[in-house]
Amino acid sequence: MLPLIALFIAAFAFGTTEFVIAGVLPQVAGGLGVSIPTAGYLVSGYAGGIAIGGPLLALATKWLSRKALLLGLATAFTIGQAACALAPDFASMLLLRIAVAVAHGAYFGVAMVVAVGLAREDQRGMAVALILSGLTVSNVVGVPAGTAIGNIWGWRATFWVMCALGVVAIASIAALVPRTTRSSNGSVSFGREVRVLARQQVWTSLIIMLMLMIGQFGLFTYITPTLLEVTGLDEGWVPWVLLLNGVGATIGVFVGGRLADWKLMPSLITMLALQAVMLAVIYAVSPYPVPMVMAITVWGGLNFAIGTPIQTRILTWTADASNLASSLIPSGFNVGIALAASVGATMLNAGYGYRSLPVVGAMAMLVAVAVALASHVWEWRIRATPPLPAAAE
């Protein structure tokens, strides 16, 4: 359990630095002498660094032991936060954020594999859930705290605190993650890394992941104007609704872990169907504040409950060559986020309004149900069994 807590601390740090920029964006823009829309590239640049740079770095460093790689990535994070705190201009800040994002993408891929390797077979889902909860807890605790620090002492102070958190993460990994952890499949060829992606359990899971992101971020990207204009909430209530959504997500990630350890595919298919229903409910109750807030909370829980078994499934079916596949998990999520935001923008620009977003999300979830069901039936018919982990080096 202690090694997983060390991995959680670093996951929390990476999650906070990714999302806290939104809370201090106006201050960062003013401090670096750019407009707020221009400063927004710090968000998209980070997502791009995760999606593209993470898998490349994971492949380039697969010869390193996993503990050494985790320490190196946590160190890169820590140095990156200090450099961001000292950034003299916007261009430097953008490049530094992208560099940290590359480490972010590689970290989550490696940390997930290590977590699964440290857990018993019947606890793999909960191990993945604990790492994933670093992202949800960062939204509930890290982002509000980082934003408050920025408002009181300035945005550079936020990054100095993140730097200190990085030091804690380094110390935790060094002290708690065992040296006997398997290496990063350094002997596995690139061709084999690519071939495992052709397993239907892997590519169908990636499709389900993309659909999940459309169901989540198609609406979440525009959740504030939806709550203000459709639901009619006062602006002061929006942060509290987002907090409830984050609390729901944190609970959901552990529920998903339990379900993944119990009956992974039946649980996944059921939750995907429930999420389609939930998005239809959001469409129906969006003009009514109390039901809408309740629906947003449950919806947040389902989003992250579904994410855990998807990731567990990918890691289970790529255990013999997990380096590339595991690094594609955070990449897939970030590509899905970008796709969801684009789909939402297209719908809004076409004049469909904010209430169209949960409808599109529900349709995406129905596609996910169909893909998951077909994949599960195919797997059951041929009596497929997951591969054994690659031998330790």
Side-chain angles (χ1 to χ4, degrees), residues 230-326:
V230 179
T231 311
L233 284 182
D234 183 86
E235 190 172 9
W237 284 102
V238 172
W240 295 103
V241 177
L242 297 180
L243 176 63
L244 288 173
N245 180 266
V247 170
T250 303
I251 296 171
V253 75
F254 289 106
V255 172
R258 288 290 186 192
L259 293 174
D261 289 332
W262 177 53
K263 291 186 179 293
L264 193 152
M265 285 307 293
S267 299
L268 177 59
I269 293 166
T270 301
M271 288 190 291
L272 290 169
L274 286 174
Q275 189 68 313
V277 172
M278 201 67 241
L279 284 160
V281 169
I282 289 175
Y283 169 80
V285 304
S286 56
Y288 310 104
V290 173
M292 180 62 164
V293 171
M294 294 172 62
I296 290 294
T297 304
V298 175
W299 172 67
L302 276 171
N303 282 325
F304 278 84
I306 294 169
T308 303
I310 292 175
Q311 295 179 74
T312 304
R313 191 177 194 228
I314 293 173
L315 293 169
T316 299
W317 284 95
T318 60
D320 54 334
S322 59
N323 206 58
L324 177 59
S326 63

Side-chain angles (χ1 to χ4, degrees), residues 9 24 28 34 40 75 94 119 126 130 142 162 168 177 202 206 230 241 246 269-270 279 350 377:
I9 292 170
V24 295
V28 172
V34 297
T75 301
L94 179 59
M126 284 304 293
L130 185 60
M162 294 303 305
V168 174
V177 176
V202 179
L206 291 171
V230 179
V241 177
I269 293 166
T270 301
L279 284 160
V377 170

Side-chain angles (χ1 to χ4, degrees), residues 2-20 46 50 70-71 73-75 77-78 81 100-101 103-115 126-143 162 165-173 177 253-254 304 311 330:
L2 288 177
L4 296 181
I5 291 175
L7 298 176
F8 164 84
I9 292 170
F12 172 78
F14 274 110
T16 301
T17 203
E18 177 179 10
F19 301 123
V20 77
Y46 198 99
I50 293 174
L70 289 170
L71 284 170
L73 295 171
T75 301
F77 168 86
T78 304
Q81 301 314 297
V100 172
H104 177 135
Y107 174 81
F108 274 90
V110 176
M112 292 289 186
V113 174
V114 171
M126 284 304 293
V128 171
L130 185 60
I131 308 305
L132 187 59
S133 70
L135 294 176
T136 61
V137 175
S138 72
N139 277 287
V140 176
V141 178
V143 172
M162 294 303 305
L165 183 57
V167 172
V168 174
I170 293 170
S172 299
I173 292 171
V177 176
V253 75
F254 289 106
F304 278 84
Q311 295 179 74

Side-chain angles (χ1 to χ4, degrees), residues 330-353:
S331 295
F333 276 117
N334 279 273
V335 169
I337 290 170
L339 177 63
S342 298
V343 169
T346 300
M347 295 297 296
L348 296 175
N349 289 332
Y352 285 99

Side-chain angles (χ1 to χ4, degrees), residues 64-70 110 113-114 181-185 322:
L64 287 171
S65 74
R66 284 179 175 147
K67 181 170 182 177
L69 183 52
L70 289 170
V110 176
V113 174
V114 171
T181 301
R182 288 192 304 272
S183 68
S184 299
N185 295 332
S322 59

